[in-house]
Amino acid sequence: MRLENKKVIALVEDDFEDLELWYPVLRLQEEGAIVHLVGKEAKKKYIGKYGVPAESDYAFHDIKTDDYDAILVPGGWAPDKLRRYPEVLQFVKEMDEAKKPIGQICHAGWVLISANILQGKKVTSTPGIKDDMTNAGATWYDEAVIVDGHIISSRRPPDLPPYVKEFADILAGN
């Protein structure tokens, strides 16, 4: 259990991409990580794009990034909502400053853009937000997963296996 005692924030909001939330959460838990689903409200049921529910463990105001080792931002349409919460942007900025792993897949790049942490970074995302990523100062690649230090990015659900493997490997090393 190489991720035993590692704590991870998994952000959640309605219209998350079901696989992009649940696949990483379950894989990290299999390796011993404690993963908390964190949304605007605690104990609220959020519904994914394809109808899979996710109940938040905590509300944004209930947590501190100092208590966590990493953060995951799922894709779907949730990132467009998540990036509007000052708490989410603060979490991402704090994780970035502490060089803790930040995982983002698909449209989740929007959250990192709004947190203003992509200048000079190498990333990938869904091709649909390639221009947004490059306009934020990142260099975009059309690859399954890109690792630039503590930022792990990926494109879409078929890329989940290499994405989560890289994320877990980096988390295990911290």
Side-chain angles (χ1 to χ4, degrees), residues 1-139:
M1 300 288 266
R2 69 181 178 143
L3 299 181
E4 192 171 9
N5 299 319
K6 297 290 186 178
K7 289 178 65 179
V8 179
I9 298 166
L11 296 173
V12 65
E13 177 56 89
D14 283 324
D15 298 319
F16 61 88
E17 207 300 334
D18 306 58
L19 286 172
E20 293 171 0
L21 174 71
W22 283 113
Y23 184 100
V25 166
L26 296 172
R27 283 289 302 117
L28 295 174
Q29 288 174 335
E30 284 176 346
E31 293 207 41
I34 298 164
V35 183
H36 291 143
L37 273 60
V38 180
K40 182 178 180 188
E41 298 174 44
K43 305 299 178 196
K44 178 182 176 191
K45 186 185 290 184
Y46 293 90
I47 305 298
K49 282 174 48 178
Y50 303 106
V52 177
E55 185 174 315
S56 58
D57 299 301
Y58 297 103
F60 300 143
H61 67 268
D62 294 331
I63 66 162
K64 293 183 280 189
T65 56
D66 288 346
D67 297 332
Y68 290 88
D69 301 295
I71 190 167
L72 287 167
V73 187
W77 301 122
D80 190 34
K81 299 171 187 175
L82 288 167
R83 68 181 174 166
R84 300 173 197 200
Y85 299 118
E87 302 94 334
V88 168
L89 300 183
Q90 189 62 37
F91 294 159
V92 172
K93 288 177 185 179
E94 289 172 2
M95 290 293 201
D96 184 55
E97 289 167 7
K99 304 294 185 223
K100 293 180 180 179
I102 299 171
Q104 68 95 20
I105 185 167
C106 198
H107 286 84
W110 278 337
V111 175
L112 280 64
I113 290 167
S114 293
N116 198 27
I117 66 163
L118 291 182
Q119 184 67 43
K121 299 292 183 184
K122 297 175 187 170
V123 296
T124 192
S125 66
T126 179
I129 67 166
K130 172 187 174 186
D131 292 346
D132 300 328
M133 301 291 270
T134 59
N135 288 337
T139 302

